């Protein structure tokens, strides 16, 4: 990820990360490992981190899901707020968000049984082993994703999220609204985004 120093300076002056020690440290670095986050989405993610500061215990890493990108793109970003680096992973969206299976998210929904992805800020919760193997619970912090716990929206690994599926189909499979990631990505995501951290999901092109 390479974001201009001017962007981070402007972000600091705007006060968007003023309450987060980790975010303040990130302002001093613009280098990254292998990812890229849209500046507007990063700004909204940091806004959400401050808005929900009482709910978020740890501010070393945040997850940012950019659902304006197609499913074949690495669009789940692990942002290290200490040094500004980013690692990006594949993530599927819900079948209710892409009913024609085009590989593009068309709509968000917070409704039960919609099988759709919800936008907004999430707090990562407990780790457990369930129907999809090792998984991590998510709590929706906004009105647009308030049903996340009752809908069992979680982070889990999935067989339909990998490069081989993309080569064969040109896109990933779809979840039932969960953040389904590659099995190979799951250990890093669980390690970086363990309980008490923020995941923010959005799409500039789709109403939440």
């Amino acid at each position: 990820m390479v974001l201009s120093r001017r962007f981070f300076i402007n972000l600091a002056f705007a006060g968007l990360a003023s309450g987060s020690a980790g975010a303040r440290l990130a302002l001093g670095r613009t280098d990254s490992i292998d990812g890229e986050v849209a500046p507007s989405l990063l700004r909204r993610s940091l806004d959400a981190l401050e808005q929900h500061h009482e709910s978020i215990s740890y501010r070393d890493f945040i997850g940012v899901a950019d659902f304006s990108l197609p499913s074949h793109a690495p669009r789940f970003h692990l942002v290290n707020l200490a040094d500004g680096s980013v690692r990006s992973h594949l993530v599927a969206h819900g079948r209710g968000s892409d009913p024609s299976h085009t590989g593009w998210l068309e709509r968000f929904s917070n409704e039960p049984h919609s099988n759709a992805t919800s936008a907004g800020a999430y707090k990562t919760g407990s780790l457990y082993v369930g129907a999809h193997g090792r998984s991590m619970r998510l709590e929706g912090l906004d009105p647009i994703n308030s049903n996340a716990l009752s809908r069992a929206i979680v982070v889990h690994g999935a067989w339909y999220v990998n490069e081989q599926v993309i080569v064969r189909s040109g896109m990933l499979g779809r979840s039932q609204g969960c953040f389904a990631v590659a099995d190979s990505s799951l250990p890093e995501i669980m390690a970086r985004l363990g309980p008490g951290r923020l995941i923010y999901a959005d799409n500039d092109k789709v109403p939440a």
Side-chain angles (χ1 to χ4, degrees):
M1 173 187 176
V2 179
L3 291 175
S4 71
R5 186 173 184 84
R6 181 181 298 276
F7 167 75
F8 281 111
I9 291 172
N10 289 342
L11 194 65
F13 279 130
L16 296 172
S18 60
S20 169
R24 287 197 302 272
L25 285 170
L27 300 179
R29 294 285 298 277
T30 59
D31 59 315
S32 67
I33 298 174
D34 64 357
E36 187 172 309
V37 185
S40 60
L41 183 58
L42 179 59
R43 182 180 289 108
R44 293 198 301 278
S45 301
L46 293 175
D47 276 344
L49 185 63
E50 294 313 307
Q51 178 185 351
H52 300 291
H53 69 275
E54 293 183 357
S55 298
I56 304 302
S57 302
Y58 303 101
R59 302 184 177 202
D60 47 358
F61 286 85
I62 59 172
V64 181
D66 186 353
F67 287 114
S68 64
L69 299 174
S71 67
H72 67 257
R75 56 184 181 172
F76 187 88
H77 308 295
L78 298 177
V79 182
N80 184 335
L81 294 180
D83 62 13
S85 63
V86 178
R87 295 271 295 174
S88 299
H89 298 267
L90 296 170
V91 63
H93 51 247
R95 63 180 63 249
S97 291
D98 179 13
S100 300
H101 201 186
T102 64
W104 293 85
L105 184 144
E106 299 175 6
R107 60 186 286 266
F108 289 115
S109 178
N110 189 37
E111 293 300 315
H113 313 297
S114 66
N115 292 328
T117 298
S118 297
Y122 295 82
K123 175 184 175 181
T124 58
S126 59
L127 309 182
Y128 70 100
V129 177
H132 299 287
R134 194 167 179 232
S135 305
M136 180 167 61
R137 293 184 174 89
L138 296 176
E139 177 186 351
L141 299 177
D142 294 323
I144 55 176
N145 63 4
S146 57
N147 292 325
L149 276 177
S150 61
R151 291 180 60 208
I153 301 301
V154 303
V155 178
H156 66 76
W159 63 268
Y160 50 81
V161 181
N162 57 59
E163 296 290 346
Q164 290 72 33
V165 171
I166 294 172
V167 169
R168 185 170 64 251
S169 304
M171 66 191 78
L172 300 179
R174 298 165 295 171
S175 69
Q176 292 180 303
C178 292
F179 293 82
V181 301
D183 288 326
S184 59
S185 296
L186 195 63
E188 182 178 7
I189 291 172
M190 295 289 196
R192 300 294 185 239
L193 297 179
R197 292 173 174 85
L198 177 84
I199 292 176
Y200 184 79
D202 207 352
N203 181 342
D204 286 333
K205 304 171 184 176
V206 176

